[in-house]
């Protein structure tokens, strides 16, 4: 098995990008594009999910066994959900602090 550092670094970068993307999309929604809240939510989630899928595709090792691959996918989804929950909380507080309630 490969070293886990590329996966850890990508997940940390992904988690740190969630608040940055939230702030950027909130700012663009107020200035450049007249987006509704639903459209901002869709754009943010599409970017985050696409990036997580790319991390899984390129960094998680492939195996011959389908059961092991399903296990890797399950663990990856659970771990990204936990990390994403914390990143989303940070994003919520950052956007609220910067732009008000």
């Amino acid at each position: 098995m490969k070293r886990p550092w590329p996966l850890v670094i990508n997940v940390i970068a992904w988690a740190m990008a969630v608040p940055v993307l939230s702030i950027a999309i909130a700012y663009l929604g107020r200035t450049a594009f007249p987006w509704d809240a639903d459209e901002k939510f869709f754009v943010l989630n599409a970017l985050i999910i696409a990036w997580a899928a790319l991390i899984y595709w390129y960094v998680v090792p492939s195996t011959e066994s389908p059961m092991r691959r399903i296990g890797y996918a399950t663990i990856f989804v659970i771990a990204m959900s936990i990390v994403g929950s914390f990143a989303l909380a940070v994003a919520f507080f950052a956007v609220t602090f910067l732009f008000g309630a």
Side-chain angles (χ1 to χ4, degrees):
M1 186 171 177
K2 294 194 269 183
R3 293 176 301 193
W5 294 115
L7 179 61
V8 171
I9 290 170
N10 278 299
V11 170
I12 290 171
W14 179 83
M16 289 173 44
V18 171
V20 173
L21 286 173
S22 296
I23 292 168
I25 289 174
Y27 178 74
L28 287 175
R30 288 178 181 257
T31 58
F33 303 105
W35 286 340
D36 293 335
D38 294 337
E39 292 169 339
K40 287 186 228 179
F41 182 74
F42 175 75
V43 169
L44 178 64
N45 284 336
L47 289 172
I48 290 170
I49 290 171
W51 190 359
L54 286 173
I55 291 172
Y56 180 78
W57 184 263
Y58 286 110
V59 180
V60 175
S62 60
T63 64
E64 297 290 327
S65 169
M67 292 306 291
R68 182 173 282 181
R69 190 67 175 171
I70 291 170
Y72 283 168
T74 303
I75 291 170
F76 181 79
V77 167
I78 291 170
M80 290 298 271
S81 297
I82 292 169
V83 170
S85 299
F86 289 116
L88 189 60
V90 170
F92 171 76
F93 289 118
V95 169
T96 303
F97 177 73
L98 290 174
F99 298 111

